[in-house]
Amino acid sequence: VQMLAIAPNKEVECRDTIKKICDSFAVSPIARDVAEMANVGKGENEVYFSGSSATNGSGKGIGKTGYRASWWTQFYYVLWRSWLTVLKDPMLVKVRLLQTAMVGTLIGSIYFGQKLDQDGVMNINGALFLFLTNMTFQNVFAVINVFSAEVPIFLRERRSRLFRVDTYFLGKTIAELPLFILGPWVFTSIAYPMIGLRAGLMPFLTATFIVTLVANVATSFGYFISCASSSISMALSVGHPVIIPFLI
């Protein structure tokens, strides 16, 4: 849609670009396939979905559940679409990982090389709380606008019986799961040795596992706030006061 839009003050350039795209599509194999599919359906008067047709058996391709596809098919295509959305913006992924690395380096620099004396223990407590707050706020506000922005599309596709609520939710969350696992690993790998926390592979893996759990719980909480809010601005306003009591 963005590529085919007419931008202000660039109408001539945009129309030339649109013409090239449309001309290239018109001679492509996909265009011929689409034309053939469209011609096959002409004159058949196919009913795609209505409540009455589903009950009397006249609706073509509609299963007993009222959906045109099985649960696994719905889940596969929502997951595939959500994964494409993640891949289409690689710069956002790089920026988020860079941000995580910078914050980890900053915290590691501030609390660098702590010794296990009275002051060191107090400093380590502060560092661990920063682990918690960073993973919480970073991941909550990374997803807090996801569902608020997509509610109109979701409601339209839900009314069209394209997919169920659970397949949509699972597809969205699983597509973004690798990023919410990689981020905590990057953060802990940098900050943990710099602070001088307990040496050894198992303590490090335990700490990383806990930080990953915190990050994903925060992500789920961000999804919850997003679902419960009527708009993105409302979600952003509600986020801070709801999170603080849980941090305390």
Side-chain angles (χ1 to χ4, degrees):
V1 171
Q2 188 173 6
M3 288 297 297
L4 298 176
I6 304 294
N9 302 323
K10 295 183 179 179
E11 292 189 9
V12 177
E13 298 175 17
C14 290
R15 292 188 187 281
D16 290 340
T17 303
I18 292 170
K19 188 175 185 306
K20 291 178 183 177
I21 294 173
C22 292
D23 291 345
S24 299
F25 175 76
V27 297
S28 67
I30 297 176
R32 290 194 294 271
D33 293 342
V34 170
E36 290 175 4
M37 290 175 63
N39 290 329
V40 167
K42 287 183 178 179
E44 291 188 358
N45 194 23
E46 182 175 357
V47 179
Y48 286 96
F49 179 82
S50 66
S52 59
S53 62
T55 56
N56 62 23
S58 61
K60 298 180 181 180
I62 299 172
K64 294 179 181 179
T65 59
Y67 296 93
R68 296 182 63 85
S70 65
W71 190 95
W72 284 107
T73 303
Q74 296 174 40
F75 172 72
Y76 170 78
Y77 280 105
V78 173
L79 177 63
W80 176 70
R81 183 175 70 177
S82 302
W83 181 243
L84 285 181
T85 303
V86 174
L87 295 180
K88 282 180 179 177
D89 199 355
M91 183 56 67
L92 179 61
V93 175
K94 293 176 183 177
V95 167
R96 284 167 66 172
L97 290 177
L98 179 62
Q99 176 190 3
T100 302
M102 290 175 64
V103 173
T105 304
L106 179 62
I107 294 175
S109 301
I110 293 173
Y111 293 95
F112 184 79
Q114 295 299 316
K115 297 179 180 179
L116 287 179
D117 52 18
Q118 186 64 37
D119 291 337
V121 170
M122 294 297 293
N123 290 338
I124 288 172
N125 278 335
L128 294 179
F129 186 70
L130 285 177
F131 272 54
L132 174 66
T133 54
N134 177 61
M135 284 295 103
T136 300
F137 283 107
Q138 178 178 326
N139 289 285
V140 165
F141 289 99
V143 301
I144 205 167
N145 65 335
V146 169
F147 290 114
S148 298
E150 293 191 5
V151 163
I153 300 172
F154 166 74
L155 292 176
R156 183 187 67 193
E157 295 182 341
R158 173 94 171 104
R159 283 193 296 265
S160 300
R161 314 295 287 179
L162 292 178
F163 48 72
R164 303 156 57 100
V165 177
D166 53 351
T167 54
Y168 173 77
F169 179 77
L170 288 172
K172 289 287 295 181
T173 52
I174 293 176
E176 297 183 347
L177 188 61
L179 184 59
F180 295 121
I181 293 176
L182 183 60
W185 274 83
V186 171
F187 177 80
T188 311
S189 299
I190 294 173
Y192 191 97
M194 290 183 69
I195 296 171
L197 299 177
R198 187 178 176 184
L201 180 61
M202 285 308 297
F204 169 75
L205 292 178
T206 303
T208 305
F209 178 68
I210 293 172
V211 171
T212 304
L213 287 180
V214 170
N216 283 275
V217 168
T219 301
S220 298
F221 197 65
Y223 285 139
F224 170 73
I225 295 173
S226 181
C227 292
S229 303
S230 57
S231 63
I232 296 176
S233 57
M234 177 67 72
L236 292 173
S237 301
V238 169
H240 281 95
V242 173
I243 293 169
I244 294 299
F246 290 101
L247 287 176
I248 293 174

